[in-house]
Amino acid sequence: MTTSEHLDTSVIAATGFDVDTRQEAVIFIRKDAPVARSEGFAALSRVNATANGRSIHATLVFVGEALLRPGEAGLSNAARRLLAVKNGEPVRLSHPPPVDSLAFVRRKIYGNKLGAEELQGIVADIVAGRYMDVHLAAFITACANDRLDRHEIVYLTEAMVVAGQRLSWSHSRIVDKHSVGGLPGNRTTPIIVPIVAAHGLCMPKTSSRAITSPSGTADTMETLAPVDLDLVMMRRVVEAEGGCIAWGGSVSLSPADDVLIRVERALDVDSEGQLIASILSKKIAAGSTDVVIDMPIGPTAKVRSHASAKHLSALLCDVGAELGLNVEVLTSDGRQPVGRGIGPALEARDVLAVLQCEADAPRDLRDRATRLAGALLETAGVAESGCGNALAAQTIDDGRAWRKFVAICEAQGGLREPPHAAYHYDVFAQRDGTVAAIDNRIVARVAKLAGAPADKAAGISMNCRIGDRVTRGDVLMTIHAESPGELEYALAFERTQPLGIELTE
């Protein structure tokens, strides 16, 4: 650092703070830092931070003198990654320029329609980190309750695609699938990808980690093989095996989506238009041409009525068609979890049981996977209409799906054994009865309190399904945890709340 830079109060030396703020960039400085006085910064000010030729918007947090030396700035993990700075390197702080696209957000708050350029401006500023959480919350709320019409959904989807990478492949048809969600254990992707790849189709599947659920597809797959693939590695796997199952965060596809989802979850707000843009933008950015969407319907699933499913399905298909994406929606039973396992390793063992044709493999998971895979095989012309399900099932039965799955795992870094939890607790039926209902949300919460998805072996094994007759003392579920403390968290909730499994006489 030069002498002139030492005199510049806006320049401060970076130091690592190892603070996980997810995607939000946060910079910590002392309350008595000269830059705070010279620039007039206040706590939680929005600042522009520049280093190594990169510039980001960050939230400023004041800390006590004991945490930082004079002239130091602590960077959250996200800020350090975005600026690519090392300890001691200079970071310049200044007031950020006005965010012009906030005017478009205000227009939407007052009920006006937004055009393509306006939504592109909003999304570009979101991806650049120029929006504070309060701005994101305002945009999400303004778009909630079906306030985006079909044209706006198309424009928002396009804007989200443009803001990130867009992959291209040598194959003329790229197939994909998506589940709308809300159903624990619905881990069909690791079964579908090897089925369709075994028939020569190309399925470069990028999947998410859990946000509020006990496991995402990437969490489950990570117990079986590496999923943190960069674009070069992803292409290598797909070229060799026809498919992959990778974490979407390792490639920058529709990066605005992760930011919006984080705030949507905190608000507990679901926007129909943003849901559609979220799903379709990632599929288009991944280079997909044909997508099958699984839409579970149930009182504790994300979609709760057939009327809602019909309306959402029509919008997904219409918006997809306008953007050159062939979309097919299959509705399914969303009244209860799928398979036995809820949690990364437990779900992985269900996947292995299906692919290895074990006698006690969960039939519902197999049937869901073959139905969705069959639809993709029919869409791509591999199977005749009405014959896809049978062909998908045959691909499992004759071992082709298992062999392809092993090959994909080896190409991604090697197949491994899912871990087992050290602690278990059986939950027993307190009386005789018939299982009448299972609350997906309560069961998922128990699995999360047990440690899932951060603890890969944690979660729940379900031992009953709707319609089963049980007697007092039968095991309804088993809770798995990696530590006694986390098992106790789950049990404390289970003791004070309705279990989520309703029995009738």
Side-chain angles (χ1 to χ4, degrees):
M1 191 179 290
T2 66
T3 302
S4 62
E5 286 175 327
H6 275 298
L7 298 174
D8 189 344
T9 59
S10 66
V11 176
I12 200 160
T15 188
F17 246 36
D18 194 20
V19 176
D20 184 0
T21 53
R22 295 184 69 88
Q23 295 95 346
E24 187 176 3
V26 178
I27 294 179
F28 305 85
I29 65 172
R30 287 168 51 140
K31 298 175 184 178
D32 61 353
V35 66
R37 294 194 299 272
S38 65
E39 298 294 329
F41 292 142
L44 300 183
S45 292
R46 202 66 174 160
V47 299
N48 189 69
T50 304
N52 295 325
R54 301 186 181 196
S55 183
I56 63 168
H57 285 61
T59 300
L60 195 66
V61 173
F62 287 160
V63 299
E65 296 177 7
L67 296 178
L68 287 169
R69 292 193 296 265
E72 279 188 337
L75 273 62
S76 69
N77 295 342
R80 174 181 287 274
R81 182 180 66 253
L82 291 168
L83 289 174
V85 293
K86 299 177 181 177
N87 285 348
E89 291 185 340
V91 177
R92 181 180 297 276
L93 303 182
S94 61
H95 287 281
V99 183
D100 293 336
S101 68
L102 286 174
F104 308 146
V105 175
R106 286 190 287 273
R107 287 194 61 203
K108 192 61 190 171
I109 289 171
Y110 286 105
N112 296 296
K113 301 298 181 185
L114 298 181
E117 291 185 4
E118 292 164 320
L119 282 163
Q120 283 187 6
I122 290 171
V123 171
D125 282 338
I126 289 173
V127 172
R130 299 188 182 105
Y131 276 30
M132 298 178 67
D133 280 0
V134 66
H135 302 143
L136 293 168
F139 176 61
I140 289 166
T141 305
C143 296
N145 196 27
D146 307 334
R147 292 189 181 97
L148 294 176
D149 66 19
R150 187 175 65 83
H151 296 296
E152 289 176 301
I153 297 172
V154 170
Y155 300 149
L156 177 60
T157 305
E158 287 180 313
M160 291 171 69
V161 173
V162 169
Q165 292 193 75
R166 186 165 184 176
L167 307 183
S168 60
W169 306 92
S170 57
H171 297 70
S172 58
R173 300 189 82 157
I174 306 297
V175 299
D176 205 342
K177 61 81 59 174
H178 180 83
S179 178
V180 171
L183 212 54
N186 193 16
R187 208 54 59 214
T188 56
T189 292
I191 302 171
I192 294 169
V193 172
I195 290 174
V196 301
H199 287 279
L201 297 180
C202 183
M203 189 168 178
K205 187 75 179 79
T206 59
S207 299
S208 62
R209 297 188 185 277
I211 299 172
T212 59
S213 67
S215 184
T217 295
D219 299 306
T220 294
M221 186 63 188
E222 193 170 43
T223 70
L224 297 166
V227 297
D228 192 5
L229 311 182
D230 60 22
L231 185 54
V232 173
M233 182 66 169
M234 184 177 168
R235 286 191 181 279
R236 187 180 303 132
V237 174
V238 173
E239 288 169 3
E241 302 300 339
C244 70
I245 308 165
W247 173 47
S250 58
V251 288
S252 183
L253 303 180
S254 189
D257 187 46
D258 291 335
V259 180
L260 292 171
I261 285 175
R262 174 177 60 82
V263 178
E264 280 180 324
R265 293 295 182 260
L267 291 171
D268 195 21
V269 169
D270 269 328
S271 164
E272 176 184 83
Q274 287 174 341
L275 171 67
I276 294 168
S278 169
I279 294 170
L280 299 186
S281 65
K282 287 194 171 180
K283 303 310 173 189
I284 294 169
S288 302
T289 58
D290 302 272
V291 177
V292 169
I293 295 177
D294 174 26
M295 188 176 293
I297 305 170
T300 55
K302 185 171 287 187
V303 180
R304 299 182 183 178
S305 72
H306 287 277
S308 296
K310 183 177 180 181
H311 173 70
L312 184 58
S313 297
L315 268 177
L316 280 162
C317 293
D318 289 348
V319 173
E322 191 156 344
L323 296 172
L325 183 66
N326 177 42
V327 178
E328 180 180 359
V329 179
L330 301 182
T331 58
S332 59
D333 183 358
R335 295 175 299 156
Q336 61 186 326
V338 180
R340 291 186 295 266
I342 301 172
L346 296 165
E347 294 176 19
R349 281 197 281 279
D350 280 353
V351 167
L352 294 177
V354 170
L355 289 171
Q356 293 176 339
C357 300
E358 294 179 5
D360 64 344
R363 186 74 195 188
D364 59 334
L365 177 62
R366 173 190 161 103
D367 289 347
R368 279 175 177 272
T370 55
R371 182 179 180 226
L372 294 165
L376 289 172
L377 293 173
E378 291 179 21
T379 295
V382 174
E384 294 182 4
S385 179
C387 298
N389 196 335
L391 180 57
Q394 180 187 355
T395 309
I396 293 176
D397 293 337
D398 64 20
R400 280 180 290 173
W402 169 243
R403 290 192 294 274
K404 177 56 73 173
F405 181 76
V406 171
I408 290 171
C409 288
E410 292 299 332
Q412 290 189 193
L415 180 63
R416 51 201 181 199
E417 179 71 20
H420 292 265
Y423 300 90
H424 313 272
Y425 182 88
D426 292 331
V427 178
F428 300 100
Q430 300 301 306
R431 62 181 179 85
D432 297 353
T434 299
V435 178
I438 299 176
D439 191 311
N440 292 308
R441 292 170 296 185
I442 291 177
V443 170
R445 186 170 182 187
V446 173
K448 289 189 289 182
L449 287 170
D455 295 342
K456 299 299 184 186
I460 287 175
S461 295
M462 296 295 299
N463 296 319
C464 65
R465 295 187 58 74
I466 292 175
D468 287 354
R469 184 69 186 172
V470 300
T471 59
R472 179 184 172 90
D474 284 350
V475 177
L476 299 177
M477 66 169 71
T478 300
I479 303 173
H480 303 255
E482 294 186 10
S483 71
E486 283 173 316
L487 182 60
E488 185 54 38
Y489 283 138
L491 293 178
F493 176 79
E494 184 268 331
R495 292 187 192 111
T496 59
Q497 300 290 328
L499 180 62
I501 299 175
E502 180 184 338
L503 299 181
T504 57
E505 297 295 338

